[in-house]
Amino acid sequence: MANTRERIGLDKKTLEALYVKLEIPIYNVVYRWLWDASEARDVTQEAFLKIWNARDRVDLETVEPLLYRTALNLASNRRRSLRLWKWLGLDSAGDEPVRQTTTDDTLDRENRRHRVRAAIESLPERLRQVVMLSEYSELSYEEIATALAIPIGTVGSRRSAALRELATRLDGIEDIDA
């Protein structure tokens, strides 16, 4: 029992070390979930705050996947909320202005980025989560399985399905820079 208790509970020093290690990888995943830098920063910070608020119940062996799961859940909630606000027409001020391009290369690059983003956005959430965690955070299958509470084999099959679907949708795009 004492051994289990030693793994439970998060202290300030450990949280700070986790923040230094995971803030950028979690931000990268959340950003590609929301496509808004400000929202991604807010969600990333909120995920760490939620973990801190639950620090007495946090198992140190699974805190990293828990942070990713918390961030993805918060990002999904924020995404639904943002869609509702846009649908209601209450968030038009948050739209970025369309930038004029001055060269064909810039236009092509923007078109590729838009297609990649649209393809990722169109994936079912269960596939998109796995792609984000594997490709943008470079987590292992085991870490992704823990973060999403799914079997390791499911991580592999979802990643393969997502990449197949993306390859089909992005057929003909070279040098993707999303």
Side-chain angles (χ1 to χ4, degrees), residues 127-156:
L127 299 181
R128 195 169 57 243
Q129 287 177 334
V130 171
V131 167
M132 293 298 178
L133 292 174
S134 66
E135 301 305 315
Y136 295 112
S137 288
E138 300 176 2
L139 294 178
S140 69
Y141 280 18
E142 183 177 350
E143 291 167 321
I144 295 168
T146 302
L148 299 177
I150 58 176
I152 291 175
T154 302
V155 172

Coordinates of all heavy atoms in Angstrom, one line a residue, residues 127-156:
L127 N -9.9 9.1 -35.2 CA -8.7 9.0 -36.0 C -7.8 10.2 -35.9 O -6.6 10.1 -35.8 CB -9.1 8.8 -37.5 CG -9.9 7.5 -37.8 CD1 -10.2 7.5 -39.3 CD2 -9.3 6.3 -37.3
R128 N -8.5 11.4 -35.8 CA -7.7 12.6 -35.7 C -6.9 12.7 -34.4 O -5.8 13.1 -34.4 CB -8.7 13.8 -35.8 CG -8.0 15.1 -36.1 CD -9.0 16.2 -36.4 NE -10.0 16.4 -35.4 CZ -11.3 16.3 -35.5 NH1 -11.8 15.9 -36.7 NH2 -12.1 16.5 -34.5
Q129 N -7.5 12.2 -33.3 CA -6.8 12.2 -32.0 C -5.5 11.4 -32.1 O -4.4 11.8 -31.7 CB -7.6 11.6 -30.9 CG -8.7 12.5 -30.5 CD -9.6 11.8 -29.4 OE1 -9.7 10.6 -29.4 NE2 -10.3 12.6 -28.6
V130 N -5.6 10.2 -32.7 CA -4.4 9.3 -32.8 C -3.3 10.0 -33.7 O -2.1 10.0 -33.4 CB -4.8 7.9 -33.4 CG1 -3.6 7.1 -33.7 CG2 -5.6 7.2 -32.3
V131 N -3.8 10.5 -34.9 CA -2.8 11.2 -35.8 C -2.1 12.3 -35.1 O -0.9 12.5 -35.2 CB -3.5 11.7 -37.1 CG1 -2.6 12.6 -37.8 CG2 -3.9 10.5 -37.9
M132 N -2.9 13.2 -34.4 CA -2.3 14.3 -33.7 C -1.2 13.9 -32.6 O -0.2 14.4 -32.6 CB -3.4 15.1 -33.0 CG -4.3 15.8 -33.9 SD -3.4 17.0 -34.9 CE -4.7 17.6 -35.9
L133 N -1.6 12.9 -31.9 CA -0.7 12.4 -30.8 C 0.5 11.7 -31.4 O 1.6 11.8 -30.9 CB -1.4 11.5 -29.8 CG -2.4 12.3 -29.0 CD1 -3.2 11.3 -28.1 CD2 -1.8 13.3 -28.1
S134 N 0.4 10.9 -32.5 CA 1.5 10.2 -33.0 C 2.4 11.1 -33.9 O 3.6 11.0 -33.8 CB 1.0 9.0 -33.8 OG 0.3 9.3 -34.9
E135 N 1.8 11.9 -34.7 CA 2.6 12.7 -35.6 C 3.1 14.0 -35.1 O 4.2 14.4 -35.4 CB 1.8 12.9 -36.9 CG 1.3 11.7 -37.6 CD 2.4 10.7 -37.9 OE1 3.5 11.1 -38.5 OE2 2.2 9.5 -37.7
Y136 N 2.4 14.6 -34.2 CA 2.8 16.0 -33.8 C 3.4 15.9 -32.4 O 4.1 16.9 -32.0 CB 1.6 16.9 -33.8 CG 1.2 17.2 -35.3 CD1 0.0 16.7 -35.7 CD2 2.0 17.8 -36.2 CE1 -0.4 16.9 -37.0 CE2 1.7 18.0 -37.5 CZ 0.4 17.6 -37.9 OH 0.1 17.8 -39.2
S137 N 3.1 14.9 -31.6 CA 3.7 14.8 -30.3 C 4.7 13.7 -30.2 O 5.4 13.6 -29.1 CB 2.6 14.6 -29.2 OG 1.9 15.8 -29.0
E138 N 4.8 12.9 -31.2 CA 5.7 11.7 -31.2 C 5.6 10.8 -30.0 O 6.6 10.4 -29.5 CB 7.1 12.3 -31.4 CG 7.3 13.1 -32.7 CD 8.7 13.7 -32.9 OE1 9.5 13.5 -32.0 OE2 8.9 14.3 -33.9
L139 N 4.4 10.6 -29.5 CA 4.2 9.7 -28.4 C 4.3 8.3 -29.0 O 3.9 8.0 -30.1 CB 2.8 9.9 -27.8 CG 2.6 11.2 -27.1 CD1 1.2 11.3 -26.5 CD2 3.6 11.4 -25.9
S140 N 4.6 7.3 -28.1 CA 4.6 5.9 -28.5 C 3.2 5.4 -28.5 O 2.3 6.0 -28.0 CB 5.4 5.1 -27.5 OG 4.7 5.1 -26.2
Y141 N 3.0 4.3 -29.2 CA 1.7 3.7 -29.2 C 1.1 3.4 -27.8 O 0.0 3.6 -27.5 CB 1.7 2.4 -30.0 CG 1.6 2.6 -31.5 CD1 1.9 3.8 -32.1 CD2 1.3 1.5 -32.3 CE1 1.9 3.9 -33.5 CE2 1.2 1.7 -33.7 CZ 1.5 2.9 -34.3 OH 1.5 3.0 -35.6
E142 N 2.0 3.0 -26.9 CA 1.6 2.7 -25.5 C 1.2 4.0 -24.8 O 0.1 4.0 -24.1 CB 2.8 2.1 -24.8 CG 2.4 1.7 -23.3 CD 3.6 1.0 -22.6 OE1 4.6 0.7 -23.2 OE2 3.4 0.8 -21.4
E143 N 1.9 5.1 -25.0 CA 1.5 6.4 -24.4 C 0.2 6.9 -25.0 O -0.7 7.4 -24.2 CB 2.6 7.4 -24.6 CG 3.9 7.1 -23.9 CD 5.0 7.9 -24.3 OE1 5.2 8.2 -25.5 OE2 5.8 8.3 -23.4
I144 N 0.0 6.7 -26.3 CA -1.3 7.1 -26.9 C -2.4 6.3 -26.4 O -3.5 6.8 -26.1 CB -1.2 7.0 -28.4 CG1 -0.1 8.1 -29.0 CG2 -2.5 7.3 -29.1 CD1 0.2 7.9 -30.4
A145 N -2.2 5.0 -26.3 CA -3.2 4.1 -25.8 C -3.6 4.5 -24.4 O -4.8 4.5 -24.0 CB -2.7 2.6 -25.8
T146 N -2.7 4.8 -23.5 CA -3.0 5.2 -22.2 C -3.7 6.6 -22.2 O -4.7 6.7 -21.5 CB -1.7 5.4 -21.3 OG1 -1.0 4.1 -21.4 CG2 -2.0 5.8 -19.9
A147 N -3.3 7.5 -23.0 CA -3.9 8.8 -23.1 C -5.3 8.8 -23.5 O -6.2 9.5 -23.0 CB -3.1 9.8 -24.0
L148 N -5.6 7.9 -24.5 CA -7.0 7.8 -25.0 C -7.8 6.7 -24.4 O -9.0 6.5 -24.8 CB -6.9 7.6 -26.5 CG -6.2 8.8 -27.3 CD1 -6.2 8.4 -28.8 CD2 -6.9 10.1 -27.1
A149 N -7.2 5.9 -23.5 CA -7.9 4.8 -22.9 C -8.4 3.8 -23.9 O -9.6 3.4 -23.9 CB -9.0 5.3 -22.0
I150 N -7.5 3.4 -24.8 CA -7.8 2.4 -25.8 C -6.7 1.4 -25.9 O -5.6 1.7 -25.5 CB -8.1 3.0 -27.2 CG1 -6.8 3.8 -27.7 CG2 -9.3 3.9 -27.2 CD1 -6.9 4.4 -29.1
P151 N -7.0 0.2 -26.4 CA -5.9 -0.8 -26.6 C -4.8 -0.3 -27.5 O -5.1 0.4 -28.5 CB -6.6 -2.1 -27.1 CG -8.0 -1.8 -26.8 CD -8.3 -0.4 -26.8
I152 N -3.6 -0.8 -27.3 CA -2.4 -0.5 -28.2 C -2.7 -0.8 -29.6 O -2.4 -0.1 -30.6 CB -1.1 -1.1 -27.7 CG1 -0.7 -0.5 -26.4 CG2 0.0 -1.0 -28.7 CD1 0.5 -1.2 -25.7
G153 N -3.3 -2.0 -29.9 CA -3.6 -2.4 -31.2 C -4.6 -1.5 -31.9 O -4.5 -1.2 -33.1
T154 N -5.5 -0.9 -31.2 CA -6.4 0.1 -31.7 C -5.7 1.3 -32.2 O -6.0 2.0 -33.2 CB -7.5 0.4 -30.7 OG1 -8.2 -0.8 -30.4 CG2 -8.5 1.4 -31.3
V155 N -4.7 1.7 -31.4 CA -3.9 2.9 -31.8 C -3.3 2.7 -33.2 O -3.4 3.5 -34.1 CB -2.7 3.2 -30.8 CG1 -1.8 4.3 -31.3 CG2 -3.3 3.6 -29.4
G156 N -2.7 1.5 -33.4 CA -2.0 1.2 -34.7 C -3.1 1.2 -35.8 O -2.8 1.7 -36.9

